[in-house]
């Protein structure tokens, strides 16, 4: 089975589609999610893990990540996945993807998603730094800052206390 066969329904979900306009590592969050899914697909096949669990968890591991912190956004995305009807293995892999900042992965699939996320993030940062030289990153970042409903300009972000920031983000998410 091809990667797309495992995640075709998720790729059409409005919550996943809206990530095209979200800023993540100076790139589109949608690009990061797809990159993580591709890496998970390859690792799962190589390590003989459940490919379906790995790629589904990888594609939605950062959904609503702005509503949490570095430590808690995995639990928020896992809660959303449970509400969507995903199995417990997928939810655990999502929740544990931020190890060592989050819970420790207990399954092979959770380890794969965690490693794939770190590899995808490293690639994101490499692409962003390379794009600084050409100006591509700055153009893309400016565009995403205008379309991202959760983006708060740096000058305002510094003034807002944490509680105010969370209220602002949850209001914009509605």
């Amino acid at each position: 089975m091809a990667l797309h066969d495992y995640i075709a329904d998720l790729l059409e979900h409005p919550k996943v589609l809206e990530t095209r306009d979200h800023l993540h590592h100076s790139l589109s969050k949608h690009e990061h999610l797809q990159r993580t899914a591709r890496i998970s697909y390859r690792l799962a096949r190589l390590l003989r893990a459940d490919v379906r669990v790995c790629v589904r968890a990888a594609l939605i591991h950062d959904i609503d990540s702005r509503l949490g912190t570095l430590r808690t956004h995995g639990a928020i995305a896992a809660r959303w996945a449970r509400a969507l009807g995903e199995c417990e293995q997928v939810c655990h892999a999502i929740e544990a993807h931020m190890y060592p900042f989050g819970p420790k992965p207990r399954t092979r699939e959770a380890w794969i998603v965690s490693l794939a996320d770190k590899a995808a993030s490293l690639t994101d940062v490499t692409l962003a730094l390379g794009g600084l030289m050409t100006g591509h990153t700055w153009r893309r970042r400016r565009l995403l800052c205008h379309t991202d409903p959760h983006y708060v300009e740096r000058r305002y972000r510094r003034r807002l206390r944490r509680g105010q920031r969370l209220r602002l983000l949850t209001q914009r998410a509605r």
Side-chain angles (χ1 to χ4, degrees), residues 21-165:
D21 298 327
H22 293 186
L23 186 65
H24 192 77
H25 302 298
S26 291
L27 301 170
S28 161
K29 184 186 282 191
H30 194 71
E31 292 172 27
H32 170 73
L33 295 175
Q34 287 186 322
R35 186 173 293 111
T36 306
R38 282 193 304 272
I39 294 169
S40 290
Y41 178 75
R42 290 184 190 120
L43 286 174
R45 292 183 62 185
L46 179 71
L47 299 174
R48 296 188 176 133
D50 187 335
V51 176
R52 181 186 175 281
V53 168
C54 291
V55 297
R56 290 184 74 79
L59 187 67
I60 56 178
H61 76 276
D62 275 341
I63 294 291
D64 287 339
S65 61
R66 300 229 175 81
L67 302 178
T69 64
L70 187 65
R71 293 179 184 272
T72 63
H73 79 271
I76 291 168
R79 209 172 309 127
W80 181 80
R82 274 187 197 91
L84 196 64
E86 293 295 333
C87 69
E88 191 52 40
Q89 283 185 304
V90 170
C91 296
H92 169 66
I94 293 169
E95 196 165 356
H97 84 273
M98 281 304 295
Y99 179 76
F101 298 108
K104 184 176 181 179
R106 296 186 312 265
T107 63
R108 183 179 303 182
E109 291 78 15
W111 277 108
I112 287 171
V113 173
S114 181
L115 291 172
D117 178 47
K118 281 141 184 73
S121 295
L122 184 61
T123 304
D124 293 346
V125 170
T126 303
L127 288 171
L129 289 174
L132 288 174
M133 301 304 170
T134 62
H136 175 75
T137 299
W138 294 116
R139 285 191 300 273
R140 184 75 173 131
R141 184 175 171 76
R142 276 193 297 276
L143 176 68
L144 286 169
C145 287
H146 292 295
T147 60
D148 189 344
H150 302 288
Y151 180 75
V152 178
E153 286 187 50
R154 174 172 275 148
R155 61 182 172 191
Y156 298 119
R157 203 175 337 162
R158 288 181 183 152
R159 293 182 196 154
L160 295 176
R161 283 183 277 146
R162 177 160 173 63
Q164 292 172 318
R165 232 180 294 153

